[in-house]
Amino acid sequence: MKSVYVDIYRRMTLIKQNDERFRAVIKLGRIISPYYPVRGQEAIPAAVSANLTNDDYICTIYRGVHDMLAKGVPMRALWAEIAGKATGTCKGKGGPMHVTHPATGVMVTTGIVGSSMPIANGLALAAQIRGEKRVAVAYFGDGASNIGAFHESLNMASLWKLPVLFVCQNNGYGEHTRYELATSAAKISDRAAGYQMAGVTVDGNDPLAVYAAAKEAVERARSGGGPTLIEARTFRFFGHLLGDADNYMKKGEKEAAMANDPVPKFRAWLIANGHATEADLAAMEAGIEKEIDAAVEFALSSPNPDVAELRRDVFAHELSA
Amino acid sequence: MSTATSTAKPNTLNTVQAVNMALDEAMGLDPNVIVLGEDVADEQEGGIAGVTKGLSTKYGKSRVRSTPISEQAIIGAAIGAAIVGMRPVAEIMLMNFTTVCMDMIVNHAAKLRFMSGGQTHVPLTIRTMTGAGFGTGGQHSDYLEAWFAHTAGIKVVAPSCPADAYGLMLSCVFDDDPCLFIENMPAYWAPGAPPEKGVRIPLGKANIVRSGGDVTVIGYSRIVSDCIAVADKLAKEKIGVEVLDLRTVSPFDEEAILNSVGKTRRAVIVHEAVTPFGVGAEIATRINKALFGKLAAPVERVGASYCPVPFSKPLETAFVPSQAQIEAAVRTVLK
Ligand SMILES: Cc1ncc(C[n+]2csc(CCOP(=O)(O)OP(=O)(O)O)c2C)c(N)n1
Ligand SMILES: [Mg+2]
């Protein structure tokens, strides 16, 4: 089970099973939190992260648990954060839209559309100035490519040859607005040309395609060749926000996407090509399920943050009561 | 999220419906009224809370436009259309997202009348929603009204109930200056008395929602309902709490404040925004200046904790000013 493909599948499974559990636990009311489902988009961060180490940085967005899990954020601390507990990655103060976990390189999670990109540039700039080999990845959606910050960031990154990957997870919708009703470019990757930057569109449901594109981009970034814009086409299976009724979608669109579920498809490919056996993968999936059980239990049984936390972390010093 | 028709009983309506009614009426009255914002058209379900539901179907997709996620371009387009005589109602979904288009709002919408020597003006209404309570954390539920109130040239309006939302929205749309219209999201579906159709509520005028002779409690937006609850509770102890709903935060109704506090000699100012450098500070200063020596107690302020809106439920609950805090402040000025 050494192959990079199996490693990518492990990350995809981690995302899929956690997403399923998040939705179930939140629907049961055991955790009360807004939740932006990631099911369907597993292949993208799984394949990108297979090219990264803990030294590499990411900035992600509200729809980001897949990016976090793929990058290695420990499940217990992630679950505890989403449960708003003191044992969470951010002591329960940030919540699902603001997970930070520097040990695995998750430096910022933003709830503001477009804001992952400028900050990823800064992470990359620091690495460049210090002569480190780190790269930074900015994850964002298709809708975010229409915010000024996207354009400013691409220009600056290209101008300064920053070691950054702009990874656009194009799931066809920004909230309830379909891609073509909001975006003038036929392909988001076309916009790279305007900034003299490498740009590529890949099938975001094909882990091998994403892996290859990310590998090339990471090598370019690490060797001083500058940034890359990767547009990975995908679909979100459970709408914008958990509870979304999907009435704004084209008829049959979601069903078609779900029939093309990247996770079982890749699983079958791994077995057919001799990268793993059915038994290997079943054992892996069962192991992840157990870890999730433990993470949920840990989150639910953890204490709430103390109200004094309102006075801590506002500044370096604690505010007086 | 719910739609425009969800929770209201007959003879009541909620703020979602009230704002929708006002926009519908304004669009019917004046073809220059247009609506633009993310997901506002019916194809996108008429806004994340359904406030603009039905408008694009009734008035057409030309006048009711779902936009790209481009706040600067939304407000810029609204300003441009406004200075040549249209009356755009632009939605910036959540108040925190106004940060992305502050340049357009602060440097342009608010200042063009002055900088052009009165040659142009910006009859623009910006609708925005906010308020802690849904566990959306640090970037989705701030009350930032003080930033805008601190900017000359833009009016800040914050209704406390559905009927006021209706009457104030109509006034904003037909006002000749830019208005920022703040809707509290957690209170969106709370039913209230229906408004009088067609009646506009004047901007810059406060409303006495409870009369009393002992203390004046001044508030705006959703938290006025907590002020009323405290007033009703204390009435049983024969403490007369006068609740003044500002309705318009800036420019506020100084005369109404001074009349009331002149009578009660005690004032408490309540808002959901954090206390330091907030609207309460400005009001307290005006009261002190006008009524120095006549006050029976220093003016008290009740606001949110001085920190970003926290995610964890117990922290979020502790962050938002409570009825207990309002009551305690009233008792403090009565000492
Ligand atoms: C500046 C800003 N405007 C609006 C929003 C509200 N909002 C949250 S997610 C979203 C859609 C974003 O779409 P996309 O970039 O395609 O990402 P996706 O949610 O599809 O992953 C919008 C409009 C926001 N969070 N920030
Ligand atoms: Mg999208």
Side-chain angles (χ1 to χ4, degrees):
Chain A
M1 297 248 293
K2 276 272 150 58
S3 108
V4 66
Y5 302 132
V6 174
D7 177 54
I8 293 172
Y9 180 74
R10 183 190 59 77
R11 295 178 207 247
M12 289 171 70
T13 304
L14 199 60
I15 296 164
K16 170 179 176 280
Q17 293 181 188
N18 271 283
D19 182 85
E20 284 164 348
R21 192 71 71 86
F22 276 125
R23 284 182 285 113
V25 169
I26 291 171
K27 273 191 184 149
L28 284 172
R30 298 185 74 198
I31 288 178
I32 296 173
S33 172
Y35 181 69
Y36 299 86
V38 297
R39 206 44 198 94
Q41 302 188 189
E42 292 91 341
I44 302 166
V48 170
S49 298
N51 290 287
L52 306 176
T53 74
N54 278 347
D55 289 341
D56 296 313
Y57 301 124
I58 71 166
C59 290
T60 184
I61 60 171
Y62 50 89
R63 188 184 320 287
V65 299
H66 56 330
D67 303 337
M68 298 161 198
L69 288 163
K71 193 68 177 47
V73 175
M75 273 186 264
R76 286 172 186 238
L78 180 62
W79 272 87
E81 187 60 27
I82 292 176
K85 298 302 182 72
T87 52
T89 52
C90 311
K91 307 176 199 165
K93 298 165 89 165
M97 285 199 260
H98 307 300
V99 169
T100 297
H101 194 261
T104 54
V106 178
M107 301 312 293
V108 177
T109 299
T110 182
I112 303 299
V113 168
S115 292
S116 61
M117 292 168 267
I119 301 175
N121 273 354
L123 297 168
L125 176 65
Q128 187 188 60
I129 291 172
R130 291 169 171 164
E132 298 167 343
K133 285 289 165 207
R134 301 174 200 251
V135 303
V137 177
Y139 288 113
F140 57 99
D142 45 293
S145 75
N146 296 319
I147 283 253
F150 166 87
H151 299 272
E152 296 182 23
S153 302
L154 261 65
N155 180 59
M156 183 185 281
S158 179
L159 188 70
W160 291 351
K161 294 233 174 307
L162 296 177
V164 57
L165 274 67
F166 298 102
V167 179
C168 178
Q169 304 189 22
N170 182 350
N171 56 20
Y173 287 88
E175 261 180 21
H176 296 177
T177 300
R178 208 167 47 244
Y179 177 86
E180 58 271 25
L181 299 179
T183 308
S184 58
K187 289 193 298 195
I188 286 170
S189 64
D190 286 348
R191 292 176 162 173
Y195 303 103
Q196 310 286 300
M197 172 190 301
V200 57
T201 296
V202 295
D203 177 356
N205 298 333
D206 176 356
L208 304 183
V210 178
Y211 180 73
K215 190 166 194 294
E216 188 184 325
V218 168
E219 278 164 9
R220 179 179 296 118
R222 288 205 208 282
S223 63
T228 306
L229 171 60
I230 298 175
E231 174 189 16
R233 297 246 171 116
T234 185
F235 199 82
R236 46 169 168 67
F237 290 175
F238 294 96
H240 175 62
L241 186 60
L242 186 60
D244 186 332
D246 295 351
N247 295 329
Y248 54 87
M249 285 187 185
K250 277 195 212 155
K251 288 261 166 308
E253 195 180 19
K254 183 166 91 176
E255 292 68 24
M258 287 172 114
N260 194 27
D261 188 337
V263 184
K265 215 168 148 182
F266 192 47
R267 188 183 199 279
W269 183 89
L270 288 174
I271 295 170
N273 289 276
H275 293 286
T277 64
E278 164 67 40
D280 291 338
L281 300 184
M284 174 207 285
E285 290 151 3
I288 289 173
E289 206 57 24
K290 269 203 171 147
E291 279 184 69
I292 297 174
D293 290 343
V296 177
E297 187 47 40
F298 173 77
L300 294 177
S301 61
S302 285
N304 284 319
D306 193 284
V307 172
E309 285 299 337
L310 294 177
R311 290 183 270 112
R312 299 183 190 131
D313 305 318
V314 176
F315 294 113
H317 66 276
E318 181 169 336
L319 296 169
S320 51
Chain B
M1 296 279 152
S2 202
T3 60
T5 48
S6 62
T7 52
K9 299 182 206 83
N11 296 322
T12 66
L13 91 179
N14 62 39
T15 298
V16 172
Q17 296 168 309
V19 176
N20 182 273
M21 241 171 83
L23 294 174
D24 186 358
E25 200 166 310
M27 294 196 81
L29 284 171
D30 185 346
N32 284 309
V33 178
I34 59 171
V35 169
L36 66 167
E38 293 157 18
D39 288 351
V40 297
D42 286 336
E43 200 178 340
Q44 289 74 39
E45 305 192 339
I48 57 163
V51 172
T52 49
K53 220 183 187 80
L55 298 178
S56 68
T57 302
K58 188 164 174 184
Y59 297 103
K61 283 203 264 188
S62 174
R63 284 177 69 197
V64 180
R65 288 177 182 247
S66 284
T67 63
I69 308 169
S70 308
E71 281 78 9
Q72 288 200 70
I74 294 168
I75 299 301
I79 292 171
I83 60 179
V84 291
M86 302 201 86
R87 295 192 173 277
V89 180
E91 176 179 308
I92 296 298
M93 192 180 289
L94 297 186
M95 193 162 206
N96 283 87
F97 312 156
T98 60
T99 55
V100 177
C101 50
M102 274 311 233
D103 164 58
M104 284 295 155
I105 302 174
V106 170
N107 288 323
H108 296 89
K111 296 179 180 173
L112 286 175
R113 180 191 286 278
F114 186 88
M115 296 190 305
S116 73
Q119 296 178 92
T120 61
H121 64 279
V122 186
L124 156 68
T125 302
I126 302 172
R127 283 187 47 238
T128 193
M129 322 167 209
T130 198
F134 286 160
T136 51
Q139 296 176 338
H140 279 65
S141 46
D142 277 309
Y143 265 88
L144 305 173
E145 67 279 11
W147 297 2
F148 299 95
H150 195 62
T151 301
I154 181 162
K155 296 179 181 175
V156 180
V157 177
S160 65
C161 63
D164 282 12
Y166 168 84
L168 289 167
M169 174 51 81
L170 276 177
S171 290
C172 285
V173 174
F174 293 107
D175 196 81
D176 282 336
D177 287 310
C179 297
L180 181 76
F181 189 89
I182 304 167
E183 298 163 19
N184 178 281
M185 210 162 172
Y188 252 160
W189 296 277
E196 245 180 280
K197 206 144 176 21
V199 177
R200 299 178 193 178
I201 295 175
L203 301 183
K205 290 279 172 231
N207 184 30
I208 296 174
V209 288
R210 284 291 183 278
S211 301
D214 299 318
V215 188
T216 303
V217 173
I218 301 156
Y220 52 87
S221 195
R222 181 207 62 84
I223 208 154
V224 169
S225 61
D226 288 326
C227 299
I228 292 172
V230 169
D232 290 347
K233 180 180 176 198
L234 293 179
K236 293 184 193 125
E237 295 179 30
K238 302 268 177 288
I239 299 171
V241 177
E242 183 142 297
V243 180
L244 200 78
D245 178 358
L246 284 185
R247 287 178 161 168
T248 302
V249 175
S250 176
F252 61 71
D253 188 348
E254 187 166 8
E255 193 186 333
I257 294 171
L258 297 180
N259 280 342
S260 178
V261 182
K263 175 182 76 178
T264 60
R265 300 186 302 130
R266 297 175 177 89
V268 174
I269 305 151
V270 184
H271 51 58
E272 277 195 68
V274 300
T275 309
F277 301 92
V279 170
E282 178 66 23
I283 297 174
T285 300
R286 305 264 195 109
I287 293 171
N288 282 336
K289 174 107 177 144
L291 299 172
F292 186 70
K294 299 197 183 92
L295 293 175
V299 177
E300 280 289 315
R301 291 183 290 160
V302 180
S305 307
Y306 181 60
C307 63
V309 184
F311 166 70
S312 181
K313 194 67 198 170
L315 296 187
E316 190 190 37
T317 304
F319 168 86
V320 177
S322 63
Q323 291 184 14
Q325 283 171 282
I326 299 169
E327 183 182 333
V330 169
R331 293 191 190 278
T332 299
V333 297
L334 280 168
K335 267 190 207 138

